[in-house]
Amino acid sequence: QVQLVESGGGLVQAGGSLRLSCAASGRTFSTYVMGWFRQAPGKEREFVTAISYSGSITYYADSVKGRFTISRDNAKNTVYLQMNSLKPEDTAVYYCAAKTSPVRVGVREGNEYGYWGQGTQVTVSS
C-alpha cells in the first residue's frame, strides 16, 4: 500500500510555471506506475500524464504535451510535474495517483489507479 501527498500548487499568471511534487510513503515506490490527473470545476477528471516504474516511458495528454514534464526520483519516493507556459484552462485540482498494473494497461484510465492523493489546487489567471 502507498500513501500519496501532493504539494506545490498555487496561483500563477498565464505563461508562468509551477512544479508539483507527490511524495509517496512505503518502500515499494519503484513498483508503481505514477500518474497525474486533474479535475476542473464542473468537469470530469481527466488524465494529464504518467510515468513508468523506471521513468523511461512517459505519456501525456495532447493538451499538455510540450508544456508539462513528468519525472520521478525513486530514491526520494517522489514524482514531479513541471508545468510551463500555463494557461487559464489548466486551472484545476491536480491529483497524483499510483497503479500496480503494467504501464501500458489503462494508463490514461483513472479506474486503473488504486491509490490517490488529496489533490492540490492550481489556478492560472489570465
Side-chain angles (χ1 to χ4, degrees):
Q1 191 163 347
V2 62
Q3 292 183 324
L4 306 172
V5 179
E6 303 97 333
S7 61
L11 173 64
V12 64
Q13 290 187 333
S17 298
L18 279 176
R19 187 175 85 152
L20 306 183
S21 299
C22 173
S25 65
R27 294 178 290 180
T28 59
F29 177 72
S30 62
T31 65
Y32 291 94
V33 171
M34 300 301 297
W36 288 95
F37 290 76
R38 66 187 182 186
Q39 187 166 20
K43 295 187 176 181
E44 293 187 354
R45 181 181 61 193
E46 65 174 353
F47 170 80
V48 177
T49 180
I51 190 167
S52 62
Y53 314 118
S54 67
S56 60
I57 302 172
T58 56
Y59 297 84
Y60 294 93
D62 288 343
S63 59
V64 306
K65 200 172 295 183
R67 300 188 298 122
F68 290 12
T69 302
I70 189 171
S71 61
R72 67 189 297 163
D73 185 337
N74 287 342
K76 295 183 178 180
N77 282 12
T78 303
V79 62
Y80 304 98
L81 179 60
Q82 178 66 45
M83 305 185 294
N84 298 329
S85 302
L86 283 161
K87 305 175 181 179
E89 51 263 43
D90 293 319
T91 295
V93 176
Y94 283 71
Y95 297 91
C96 173
K99 75 182 188 81
T100 56
S101 57
V103 64
R104 290 181 172 83
V105 176
V107 70
R108 301 172 188 270
E109 303 300 325
N111 290 340
E112 275 291 321
Y113 293 76
Y115 305 97
W116 293 83
Q118 82 288 349
T120 185
Q121 177 71 46
V122 171
T123 303
V124 184
S125 63
S126 56

